[in-house]
Amino acid sequence: MAIDTSQFRNGVKIELDGDPFSITYFQHVKPGKGGAFVRTKLKNLRTGRVLEKTFQSGRKVEQADIEERRMQFLYQDGESAVFMDNESYEQMSISFEQLGDSRKFLKENTEALVMLYKGRAIGVELPAFIEVQVTQADPGLRGDTASGATKPATVETGAIIQVPLFIKQGETVKVDTRSGAYVERVNR
């Protein structure tokens, strides 16, 4: 289905030169001279590269046929992660390269949104926040809390995040999967 540049919005997925792109930024510009145009930033959903492109106002582009399926992460298998479709119970392997930074926060049984383009997985969107256990953290220095200091800590998924000095090994913390930032300690 073709869409017009007037329908451009953040998150709209379009197809250019056979690749799927997501619009991350758009601006309609009407200069004093000449015709109006739309300035965009597009993220390639296969490679992750960001491209800046300008379209003439009114130009039609193909909308990418992206299917999103809710799947559950099961386990890691060599150089890939295995996900299971929650409806059909079909399993699918997705390479770590396709997962990108999402790989650092994959936890067994986590539900994720898997994006499929022409039947092939091209990306995974994890929940915004996950709760993980701290597996390794150095003890904080006594009295060094006035500055809001942080220290590195390793969590159960293998990711290293910055946490406040009071966090100890064995505690559970909430992490923002989009930025990898500590959010809060979880009391259980």
Side-chain angles (χ1 to χ4, degrees), residues 24-81:
T24 58
Y25 168 82
F26 72 98
Q27 178 185 23
H28 291 277
V29 179
K30 187 163 192 278
K33 277 184 168 177
F37 59 91
V38 180
R39 192 176 286 139
T40 62
K41 282 190 183 176
L42 307 167
K43 181 179 181 184
N44 188 319
L45 295 174
R46 282 191 194 179
T47 64
R49 289 195 196 133
V50 176
L51 167 78
E52 290 187 21
K53 188 159 176 69
T54 302
F55 296 92
Q56 285 183 326
S57 188
R59 178 175 170 206
K60 291 191 180 290
V61 292
E62 277 300 310
Q63 192 165 10
D65 184 25
I66 303 284
E67 180 186 354
E68 294 179 340
R69 280 197 210 159
R70 185 141 309 274
M71 297 182 126
Q72 182 178 23
F73 170 66
L74 298 177
Y75 58 90
Q76 292 185 13
D77 181 29
E79 290 296 311
S80 62

Short mmCIF file of all heavy atoms in Angstrom, two decimals, residues 24-81:
data_model
loop_
_atom_site.label_atom_id
_atom_site.label_comp_id
_atom_site.label_asym_id
_atom_site.label_seq_id
_atom_site.Cartn_x
_atom_site.Cartn_y
_atom_site.Cartn_z
N THR A 24 12.04 8.01 12.10
CA THR A 24 12.35 8.42 13.48
C THR A 24 12.18 9.93 13.67
O THR A 24 12.09 10.41 14.79
CB THR A 24 13.78 8.02 13.87
OG1 THR A 24 14.70 8.61 12.97
CG2 THR A 24 13.94 6.51 13.87
N TYR A 25 12.18 10.68 12.55
CA TYR A 25 12.02 12.13 12.61
C TYR A 25 11.49 12.59 11.27
O TYR A 25 11.89 12.08 10.23
CB TYR A 25 13.38 12.79 12.90
CG TYR A 25 13.39 14.29 12.70
CD1 TYR A 25 12.94 15.14 13.69
CD2 TYR A 25 13.85 14.85 11.51
CE1 TYR A 25 12.94 16.52 13.50
CE2 TYR A 25 13.86 16.22 11.32
CZ TYR A 25 13.41 17.06 12.32
OH TYR A 25 13.41 18.41 12.13
N PHE A 26 10.57 13.55 11.28
CA PHE A 26 10.09 14.14 10.03
C PHE A 26 9.77 15.60 10.26
O PHE A 26 9.42 16.01 11.37
CB PHE A 26 8.87 13.39 9.49
CG PHE A 26 7.62 13.63 10.28
CD1 PHE A 26 6.69 14.56 9.87
CD2 PHE A 26 7.39 12.94 11.46
CE1 PHE A 26 5.53 14.79 10.60
CE2 PHE A 26 6.24 13.17 12.20
CZ PHE A 26 5.31 14.10 11.77
N GLN A 27 9.93 16.41 9.20
CA GLN A 27 9.62 17.83 9.29
C GLN A 27 9.12 18.29 7.92
O GLN A 27 9.81 18.13 6.92
CB GLN A 27 10.87 18.63 9.68
CG GLN A 27 10.63 20.11 9.74
CD GLN A 27 11.92 20.88 10.01
OE1 GLN A 27 13.01 20.40 9.76
NE2 GLN A 27 11.77 22.08 10.53
N HIS A 28 7.92 18.84 7.89
CA HIS A 28 7.37 19.41 6.66
C HIS A 28 7.94 20.83 6.52
O HIS A 28 7.84 21.63 7.44
CB HIS A 28 5.84 19.46 6.72
CG HIS A 28 5.21 18.10 6.67
ND1 HIS A 28 4.99 17.44 5.48
CD2 HIS A 28 4.77 17.28 7.64
CE1 HIS A 28 4.43 16.28 5.74
NE2 HIS A 28 4.29 16.15 7.05
N VAL A 29 8.53 21.13 5.36
CA VAL A 29 9.16 22.43 5.14
C VAL A 29 8.52 23.08 3.92
O VAL A 29 8.40 22.46 2.87
CB VAL A 29 10.68 22.27 4.92
CG1 VAL A 29 11.33 23.62 4.67
CG2 VAL A 29 11.33 21.57 6.10
N LYS A 30 8.11 24.33 4.07
CA LYS A 30 7.55 25.09 2.95
C LYS A 30 8.38 26.36 2.79
O LYS A 30 8.14 27.36 3.46
CB LYS A 30 6.10 25.44 3.23
CG LYS A 30 5.44 26.07 2.02
CD LYS A 30 3.94 26.00 2.17
CE LYS A 30 3.29 26.32 0.94
NZ LYS A 30 2.91 27.25 0.24
N PRO A 31 9.40 26.30 1.94
CA PRO A 31 10.26 27.48 1.76
C PRO A 31 9.53 28.59 0.99
O PRO A 31 8.51 28.34 0.35
CB PRO A 31 11.44 26.94 0.96
CG PRO A 31 10.89 25.77 0.21
CD PRO A 31 9.80 25.19 1.08
N GLY A 32 10.09 29.77 1.04
CA GLY A 32 9.50 30.89 0.31
C GLY A 32 9.50 30.68 -1.20
O GLY A 32 8.57 31.03 -1.89
N LYS A 33 10.57 30.08 -1.71
CA LYS A 33 10.67 29.79 -3.13
C LYS A 33 10.63 28.28 -3.33
O LYS A 33 11.14 27.53 -2.50
CB LYS A 33 12.02 30.29 -3.68
CG LYS A 33 12.06 31.72 -4.03
CD LYS A 33 13.42 32.02 -4.65
CE LYS A 33 13.43 33.37 -5.30
NZ LYS A 33 14.75 33.68 -5.83
N GLY A 34 10.06 27.84 -4.41
CA GLY A 34 10.06 26.41 -4.72
C GLY A 34 8.96 25.66 -4.01
O GLY A 34 8.16 26.22 -3.26
N GLY A 35 8.93 24.35 -4.26
CA GLY A 35 7.88 23.51 -3.69
C GLY A 35 8.20 23.04 -2.29
O GLY A 35 9.35 23.04 -1.85
N ALA A 36 7.17 22.64 -1.57
CA ALA A 36 7.33 22.12 -0.22
C ALA A 36 8.00 20.75 -0.28
O ALA A 36 7.94 20.05 -1.27
CB ALA A 36 5.97 22.03 0.45
N PHE A 37 8.65 20.39 0.84
CA PHE A 37 9.29 19.08 0.93
C PHE A 37 9.25 18.58 2.36
O PHE A 37 8.89 19.32 3.28
CB PHE A 37 10.73 19.14 0.39
CG PHE A 37 11.63 20.10 1.10
CD1 PHE A 37 12.39 19.70 2.20
CD2 PHE A 37 11.74 21.42 0.67
CE1 PHE A 37 13.23 20.60 2.84
CE2 PHE A 37 12.58 22.32 1.31
CZ PHE A 37 13.34 21.91 2.41
N VAL A 38 9.58 17.31 2.53
CA VAL A 38 9.59 16.68 3.85
C VAL A 38 10.99 16.16 4.12
O VAL A 38 11.53 15.36 3.36
CB VAL A 38 8.57 15.52 3.92
CG1 VAL A 38 8.59 14.89 5.30
CG2 VAL A 38 7.18 16.01 3.58
N ARG A 39 11.58 16.64 5.21
CA ARG A 39 12.91 16.22 5.64
C ARG A 39 12.72 15.09 6.66
O ARG A 39 11.94 15.24 7.60
CB ARG A 39 13.62 17.40 6.27
CG ARG A 39 15.09 17.23 6.50
CD ARG A 39 15.71 18.51 7.04
NE ARG A 39 15.81 19.51 5.99
CZ ARG A 39 15.56 20.79 6.16
NH1 ARG A 39 15.16 21.25 7.31
NH2 ARG A 39 15.70 21.64 5.16
N THR A 40 13.41 13.96 6.47
CA THR A 40 13.21 12.81 7.37
C THR A 40 14.53 12.20 7.82
O THR A 40 15.57 12.38 7.19
CB THR A 40 12.41 11.68 6.67
OG1 THR A 40 13.17 11.21 5.56
CG2 THR A 40 11.05 12.13 6.23
N LYS A 41 14.45 11.49 8.93
CA LYS A 41 15.52 10.59 9.38
C LYS A 41 14.89 9.21 9.41
O LYS A 41 13.83 9.01 10.03
CB LYS A 41 16.03 10.97 10.76
CG LYS A 41 16.97 12.15 10.75
CD LYS A 41 17.64 12.34 12.08
CE LYS A 41 18.52 13.59 12.03
NZ LYS A 41 19.13 13.87 13.31
N LEU A 42 15.52 8.28 8.74
CA LEU A 42 14.98 6.92 8.61
C LEU A 42 15.96 5.92 9.20
O LEU A 42 17.16 6.01 8.95
CB LEU A 42 14.75 6.59 7.13
CG LEU A 42 13.91 7.58 6.32
CD1 LEU A 42 14.05 7.30 4.84
CD2 LEU A 42 12.47 7.50 6.76
N LYS A 43 15.44 4.96 9.96
CA LYS A 43 16.29 3.91 10.52
C LYS A 43 16.04 2.63 9.74
O LYS A 43 14.91 2.16 9.64
CB LYS A 43 15.96 3.68 12.00
CG LYS A 43 16.82 2.62 12.63
CD LYS A 43 16.51 2.43 14.09
CE LYS A 43 17.41 1.36 14.66
NZ LYS A 43 17.07 1.09 16.06
N ASN A 44 17.11 2.08 9.17
CA ASN A 44 17.01 0.82 8.44
C ASN A 44 16.74 -0.29 9.46
O ASN A 44 17.52 -0.49 10.39
CB ASN A 44 18.30 0.55 7.67
CG ASN A 44 18.19 -0.64 6.75
OD1 ASN A 44 17.61 -1.66 7.09
ND2 ASN A 44 18.77 -0.49 5.57
N LEU A 45 15.63 -1.00 9.31
CA LEU A 45 15.25 -2.02 10.28
C LEU A 45 16.09 -3.29 10.17
O LEU A 45 16.09 -4.10 11.09
CB LEU A 45 13.76 -2.34 10.16
CG LEU A 45 12.83 -1.19 10.52
CD1 LEU A 45 11.38 -1.54 10.23
CD2 LEU A 45 12.98 -0.80 11.98
N ARG A 46 16.79 -3.47 9.07
CA ARG A 46 17.67 -4.64 8.93
C ARG A 46 19.05 -4.38 9.52
O ARG A 46 19.58 -5.20 10.23
CB ARG A 46 17.83 -5.02 7.47
CG ARG A 46 16.67 -5.76 6.90
CD ARG A 46 17.03 -6.33 5.56
NE ARG A 46 15.81 -6.74 4.89
CZ ARG A 46 15.78 -7.25 3.70
NH1 ARG A 46 16.89 -7.41 3.02
NH2 ARG A 46 14.64 -7.61 3.15
N THR A 47 19.63 -3.22 9.19
CA THR A 47 21.01 -2.93 9.59
C THR A 47 21.12 -2.02 10.80
O THR A 47 22.16 -1.98 11.44
CB THR A 47 21.79 -2.29 8.43
OG1 THR A 47 21.19 -1.02 8.13
CG2 THR A 47 21.79 -3.17 7.19
N GLY A 48 20.08 -1.24 11.08
CA GLY A 48 20.13 -0.30 12.19
C GLY A 48 20.72 1.05 11.83
O GLY A 48 20.77 1.95 12.67
N ARG A 49 21.20 1.21 10.61
CA ARG A 49 21.78 2.49 10.18
C ARG A 49 20.72 3.56 10.05
O ARG A 49 19.58 3.28 9.68
CB ARG A 49 22.49 2.33 8.85
CG ARG A 49 23.75 1.54 8.93
CD ARG A 49 24.58 1.73 7.68
NE ARG A 49 25.57 0.68 7.62
CZ ARG A 49 25.83 -0.05 6.55
NH1 ARG A 49 25.19 0.20 5.43
NH2 ARG A 49 26.73 -0.99 6.59
N VAL A 50 21.11 4.80 10.33
CA VAL A 50 20.19 5.93 10.21
C VAL A 50 20.56 6.71 8.95
O VAL A 50 21.72 6.98 8.68
CB VAL A 50 20.26 6.83 11.46
CG1 VAL A 50 19.37 8.05 11.29
CG2 VAL A 50 19.84 6.06 12.69
N LEU A 51 19.54 7.06 8.18
CA LEU A 51 19.71 7.73 6.90
C LEU A 51 18.86 9.00 6.90
O LEU A 51 17.73 8.99 7.38
CB LEU A 51 19.23 6.77 5.80
CG LEU A 51 19.00 7.26 4.40
CD1 LEU A 51 20.34 7.42 3.70
CD2 LEU A 51 18.16 6.25 3.64
N GLU A 52 19.41 10.10 6.40
CA GLU A 52 18.64 11.33 6.25
C GLU A 52 18.22 11.43 4.79
O GLU A 52 19.05 11.28 3.90
CB GLU A 52 19.47 12.54 6.66
CG GLU A 52 19.73 12.59 8.14
CD GLU A 52 20.41 13.88 8.59
OE1 GLU A 52 20.34 14.89 7.85
OE2 GLU A 52 21.00 13.85 9.66
N LYS A 53 16.92 11.64 4.56
CA LYS A 53 16.42 11.70 3.19
C LYS A 53 15.35 12.79 3.10
O LYS A 53 14.58 12.99 4.02
CB LYS A 53 15.83 10.35 2.80
CG LYS A 53 15.47 10.25 1.33
CD LYS A 53 15.40 8.80 0.89
CE LYS A 53 14.97 8.65 -0.53
NZ LYS A 53 15.94 9.10 -1.51
N THR A 54 15.33 13.46 1.95
CA THR A 54 14.34 14.51 1.70
C THR A 54 13.41 14.03 0.59
O THR A 54 13.85 13.51 -0.43
CB THR A 54 15.05 15.81 1.27
OG1 THR A 54 15.96 16.18 2.30
CG2 THR A 54 14.05 16.92 1.07
N PHE A 55 12.10 14.20 0.82
CA PHE A 55 11.08 13.81 -0.16
C PHE A 55 10.33 15.05 -0.61
O PHE A 55 10.04 15.93 0.21
CB PHE A 55 10.05 12.85 0.47
CG PHE A 55 10.62 11.54 0.91
CD1 PHE A 55 11.09 11.37 2.21
CD2 PHE A 55 10.68 10.46 0.04
CE1 PHE A 55 11.60 10.15 2.62
CE2 PHE A 55 11.19 9.25 0.45
CZ PHE A 55 11.66 9.09 1.74
N GLN A 56 9.97 15.12 -1.89
CA GLN A 56 9.10 16.19 -2.37
C GLN A 56 7.73 16.00 -1.75
O GLN A 56 7.26 14.86 -1.61
CB GLN A 56 8.98 16.15 -3.88
CG GLN A 56 10.18 16.63 -4.62
CD GLN A 56 9.93 16.62 -6.13
OE1 GLN A 56 9.23 15.76 -6.64
NE2 GLN A 56 10.51 17.59 -6.81
N SER A 57 7.10 17.07 -1.37
CA SER A 57 5.77 17.00 -0.78
C SER A 57 4.80 16.35 -1.76
O SER A 57 4.81 16.67 -2.94
CB SER A 57 5.30 18.40 -0.40
OG SER A 57 4.11 18.30 0.35
N GLY A 58 3.99 15.42 -1.29
CA GLY A 58 3.02 14.74 -2.13
C GLY A 58 3.53 13.45 -2.75
O GLY A 58 2.75 12.72 -3.36
N ARG A 59 4.83 13.15 -2.62
CA ARG A 59 5.38 11.92 -3.20
C ARG A 59 4.81 10.71 -2.46
O ARG A 59 4.62 10.73 -1.26
CB ARG A 59 6.90 11.92 -3.09
CG ARG A 59 7.49 10.65 -3.64
CD ARG A 59 8.99 10.66 -3.67
NE ARG A 59 9.45 9.31 -3.99
CZ ARG A 59 10.60 8.83 -3.63
NH1 ARG A 59 11.45 9.58 -2.95
NH2 ARG A 59 10.94 7.61 -3.95
N LYS A 60 4.56 9.66 -3.22
CA LYS A 60 4.05 8.43 -2.63
C LYS A 60 5.20 7.43 -2.48
O LYS A 60 6.04 7.32 -3.35
CB LYS A 60 2.96 7.82 -3.50
CG LYS A 60 1.69 8.65 -3.52
CD LYS A 60 0.56 7.87 -4.17
CE LYS A 60 -0.72 8.65 -4.20
NZ LYS A 60 -1.35 8.85 -2.94
N VAL A 61 5.20 6.73 -1.34
CA VAL A 61 6.18 5.66 -1.08
C VAL A 61 5.43 4.44 -0.59
O VAL A 61 4.33 4.55 -0.04
CB VAL A 61 7.26 6.08 -0.05
CG1 VAL A 61 8.16 7.16 -0.59
CG2 VAL A 61 6.63 6.52 1.25
N GLU A 62 6.02 3.28 -0.79
CA GLU A 62 5.40 2.03 -0.34
C GLU A 62 5.53 1.88 1.17
O GLU A 62 6.58 2.13 1.74
CB GLU A 62 6.06 0.83 -1.02
CG GLU A 62 5.55 0.51 -2.38
CD GLU A 62 4.06 0.20 -2.43
OE1 GLU A 62 3.58 -0.64 -1.63
OE2 GLU A 62 3.37 0.79 -3.26
N GLN A 63 4.46 1.46 1.79
CA GLN A 63 4.49 1.17 3.21
C GLN A 63 5.05 -0.24 3.38
O GLN A 63 4.67 -1.15 2.64
CB GLN A 63 3.09 1.26 3.81
CG GLN A 63 3.08 1.26 5.31
CD GLN A 63 1.76 1.72 5.88
OE1 GLN A 63 0.78 1.87 5.17
NE2 GLN A 63 1.74 1.94 7.17
N ALA A 64 5.99 -0.42 4.31
CA ALA A 64 6.62 -1.72 4.51
C ALA A 64 5.63 -2.68 5.17
O ALA A 64 4.88 -2.30 6.06
CB ALA A 64 7.86 -1.58 5.39
N ASP A 65 5.63 -3.91 4.71
CA ASP A 65 4.75 -4.94 5.24
C ASP A 65 5.44 -5.60 6.43
O ASP A 65 6.06 -6.65 6.29
CB ASP A 65 4.42 -5.97 4.15
CG ASP A 65 3.42 -7.00 4.62
OD1 ASP A 65 2.64 -6.69 5.55
OD2 ASP A 65 3.41 -8.11 4.07
N ILE A 66 5.36 -4.95 7.58
CA ILE A 66 5.99 -5.44 8.81
C ILE A 66 4.91 -6.09 9.66
O ILE A 66 3.90 -5.48 9.97
CB ILE A 66 6.65 -4.30 9.60
CG1 ILE A 66 7.67 -3.56 8.76
CG2 ILE A 66 7.25 -4.81 10.90
CD1 ILE A 66 8.98 -4.26 8.56
N GLU A 67 5.17 -7.34 10.04
CA GLU A 67 4.25 -8.05 10.93
C GLU A 67 4.90 -8.10 12.30
O GLU A 67 6.09 -8.37 12.42
CB GLU A 67 4.02 -9.47 10.40
CG GLU A 67 3.09 -10.29 11.25
CD GLU A 67 2.99 -11.73 10.78
OE1 GLU A 67 3.56 -12.07 9.74
OE2 GLU A 67 2.37 -12.52 11.50
N GLU A 68 4.13 -7.81 13.34
CA GLU A 68 4.65 -7.86 14.70
C GLU A 68 3.96 -9.00 15.43
O GLU A 68 2.73 -9.08 15.45
CB GLU A 68 4.43 -6.54 15.42
CG GLU A 68 5.23 -5.40 14.81
CD GLU A 68 4.99 -4.07 15.51
OE1 GLU A 68 3.97 -3.92 16.21
OE2 GLU A 68 5.84 -3.19 15.35
N ARG A 69 4.78 -9.88 16.00
CA ARG A 69 4.24 -11.02 16.75
C ARG A 69 4.76 -11.02 18.17
O ARG A 69 5.93 -10.79 18.40
CB ARG A 69 4.69 -12.34 16.10
CG ARG A 69 3.91 -12.74 14.91
CD ARG A 69 4.15 -14.21 14.63
NE ARG A 69 4.04 -14.47 13.21
CZ ARG A 69 4.56 -15.51 12.61
NH1 ARG A 69 5.26 -16.40 13.29
NH2 ARG A 69 4.40 -15.69 11.33
N ARG A 70 3.87 -11.33 19.11
CA ARG A 70 4.27 -11.45 20.51
C ARG A 70 4.88 -12.85 20.68
O ARG A 70 4.23 -13.85 20.40
CB ARG A 70 3.08 -11.26 21.43
CG ARG A 70 3.51 -11.26 22.86
CD ARG A 70 2.80 -10.27 23.74
NE ARG A 70 2.72 -8.89 23.36
CZ ARG A 70 3.65 -7.97 23.61
NH1 ARG A 70 4.78 -8.31 24.18
NH2 ARG A 70 3.46 -6.72 23.28
N MET A 71 6.16 -12.88 21.10
CA MET A 71 6.86 -14.15 21.27
C MET A 71 7.56 -14.17 22.62
O MET A 71 7.80 -13.14 23.23
CB MET A 71 7.88 -14.36 20.15
CG MET A 71 7.26 -14.47 18.78
SD MET A 71 8.51 -14.78 17.53
CE MET A 71 7.84 -16.23 16.78
N GLN A 72 7.90 -15.38 23.05
CA GLN A 72 8.56 -15.57 24.34
C GLN A 72 9.98 -16.07 24.10
O GLN A 72 10.20 -17.00 23.32
CB GLN A 72 7.77 -16.60 25.15
CG GLN A 72 8.31 -16.86 26.52
CD GLN A 72 7.44 -17.85 27.28
OE1 GLN A 72 6.71 -18.63 26.69
NE2 GLN A 72 7.54 -17.83 28.59
N PHE A 73 10.97 -15.44 24.78
CA PHE A 73 12.36 -15.88 24.67
C PHE A 73 12.53 -17.16 25.48
O PHE A 73 12.19 -17.22 26.65
CB PHE A 73 13.32 -14.79 25.19
CG PHE A 73 14.73 -15.27 25.32
CD1 PHE A 73 15.46 -15.63 24.19
CD2 PHE A 73 15.34 -15.37 26.55
CE1 PHE A 73 16.76 -16.09 24.29
CE2 PHE A 73 16.63 -15.82 26.67
CZ PHE A 73 17.36 -16.17 25.54
N LEU A 74 13.07 -18.21 24.82
CA LEU A 74 13.26 -19.50 25.48
C LEU A 74 14.69 -19.70 25.97
O LEU A 74 14.92 -19.91 27.15
CB LEU A 74 12.87 -20.65 24.54
CG LEU A 74 11.41 -20.68 24.09
CD1 LEU A 74 11.18 -21.83 23.11
CD2 LEU A 74 10.48 -20.80 25.29
N TYR A 75 15.67 -19.65 25.04
CA TYR A 75 17.06 -19.90 25.41
C TYR A 75 18.00 -19.41 24.32
O TYR A 75 17.58 -19.11 23.21
CB TYR A 75 17.29 -21.39 25.67
CG TYR A 75 16.96 -22.28 24.49
CD1 TYR A 75 17.92 -22.61 23.53
CD2 TYR A 75 15.68 -22.80 24.32
CE1 TYR A 75 17.61 -23.41 22.45
CE2 TYR A 75 15.36 -23.61 23.24
CZ TYR A 75 16.34 -23.91 22.31
OH TYR A 75 16.05 -24.71 21.23
N GLN A 76 19.31 -19.36 24.66
CA GLN A 76 20.34 -19.01 23.69
C GLN A 76 20.91 -20.30 23.12
O GLN A 76 21.16 -21.25 23.85
CB GLN A 76 21.45 -18.20 24.34
CG GLN A 76 20.98 -16.83 24.78
CD GLN A 76 22.11 -15.98 25.33
OE1 GLN A 76 23.28 -16.30 25.17
NE2 GLN A 76 21.76 -14.88 25.96
N ASP A 77 21.13 -20.29 21.80
CA ASP A 77 21.65 -21.47 21.12
C ASP A 77 22.81 -21.04 20.23
O ASP A 77 22.59 -20.57 19.12
CB ASP A 77 20.53 -22.11 20.29
CG ASP A 77 20.98 -23.37 19.56
OD1 ASP A 77 21.89 -24.04 20.06
OD2 ASP A 77 20.42 -23.65 18.49
N GLY A 78 24.03 -21.17 20.73
CA GLY A 78 25.20 -20.77 19.94
C GLY A 78 25.21 -19.28 19.69
O GLY A 78 25.33 -18.48 20.60
N GLU A 79 25.04 -18.87 18.42
CA GLU A 79 25.06 -17.46 18.03
C GLU A 79 23.67 -16.90 17.79
O GLU A 79 23.52 -15.91 17.06
CB GLU A 79 25.91 -17.29 16.76
CG GLU A 79 27.40 -17.50 16.98
CD GLU A 79 28.00 -16.45 17.92
OE1 GLU A 79 27.76 -15.26 17.72
OE2 GLU A 79 28.68 -16.86 18.87
N SER A 80 22.65 -17.53 18.37
CA SER A 80 21.29 -17.03 18.17
C SER A 80 20.45 -17.24 19.43
O SER A 80 20.84 -17.94 20.34
CB SER A 80 20.64 -17.74 16.98
OG SER A 80 20.54 -19.12 17.22
N ALA A 81 19.29 -16.59 19.42
CA ALA A 81 18.32 -16.71 20.51
C ALA A 81 17.08 -17.36 19.94
O ALA A 81 16.67 -17.07 18.82
CB ALA A 81 17.99 -15.32 21.06
#
